[in-house]
Amino acid sequence: MGAGWRRARPAFDSAAFWDARYARSAAPFEWYVPAPPHALLRALGAHARGARCLDVGCGTSALGEALEARGFDVEYVDFSAEAISQCVARRPDAAARFHVADVRALPFADGRFACAVDKGCLDALAFGEAGSVGAAHALAPALAELARVLRPRGHFLSLSTDPPEPVSYTHLTLPTKRIV
């Protein structure tokens, strides 16, 4: 490598990057921890069976399926059409629950969900914006959308390796429809 050579940074905030990544393998992929993380399930345990839950940036993870097995009514969203296509191929009976959409512009009505879960989606957006996780300003549009689609006092849980404030393996209660 010559002087001045710089390795190109992956565009983690790009659907094209994720489409190419998921096209390389049809096997379910778990970010950070296997699904379901027990702490996450415990935190969501306060919700009644049948509560609507949004799996944000679902990729090909089995997290949402584990939540369904616990009685949650889960809808899935990812901006990677390839990831959603693989999920639908794995579960054609649930095709209507899978949506190709960007977390920064969700296709759901206000207050539709009791809870939402994220396992790496916000990290990818922050990394794509800043080159390293920690760009909290890059998350404002996504957090505003999550606040919009969560019912009042809804819960958002995010698992992160190097979280921007205020999201940190945390159980974050969004008290209002607007948080930014």
Side-chain angles (χ1 to χ4, degrees):
M1 292 180 229
W5 182 86
R6 297 182 95 180
R7 184 174 179 179
R9 173 172 60 84
F12 289 130
D13 58 346
S14 156
F17 171 84
W18 293 106
D19 283 342
R21 189 260 170 253
Y22 288 117
R24 290 192 298 268
S25 173
F29 185 78
E30 299 299 334
W31 293 98
Y32 309 143
V33 295
H38 296 293
L40 183 137
L41 291 175
R42 277 193 306 275
L44 290 176
H47 292 282
R49 291 185 67 77
R52 281 193 175 149
C53 186
L54 179 63
D55 187 349
V56 178
C58 63
T60 58
S61 171
L63 173 61
E65 292 171 55
L67 292 171
E68 282 185 35
R70 294 277 200 314
F72 287 90
D73 179 10
V74 181
E75 292 202 43
Y76 303 80
V77 67
D78 200 296
F79 67 1
S80 169
E82 178 65 26
I84 295 298
S85 175
Q86 288 181 23
C87 289
V88 168
R90 200 169 70 219
R91 299 192 52 215
D93 59 312
R97 295 175 170 271
F98 292 91
H99 308 276
V100 177
D102 191 317
V103 67
R104 296 166 287 195
L106 292 167
F108 305 110
D110 294 0
R112 179 175 174 89
F113 299 98
C115 56
V117 296
D118 159 46
K119 192 167 72 159
C121 179
L122 296 184
D123 282 352
L125 293 178
F127 189 91
E129 173 76 19
S132 65
V133 175
H137 71 279
L139 304 181
L143 291 172
E145 274 295 272
L146 288 166
R148 182 185 67 75
V149 302
L150 286 170
R151 70 179 190 206
R153 306 295 298 164
H155 295 96
F156 170 60
L157 288 88
S158 181
L159 278 73
S160 173
T161 60
D162 185 18
E165 310 94 44
V167 183
S168 172
Y169 285 96
T170 191
H171 182 196
L172 181 71
T173 300
L174 304 176
T176 64
K177 295 243 183 221
R178 306 294 284 169
I179 60 170
V180 287

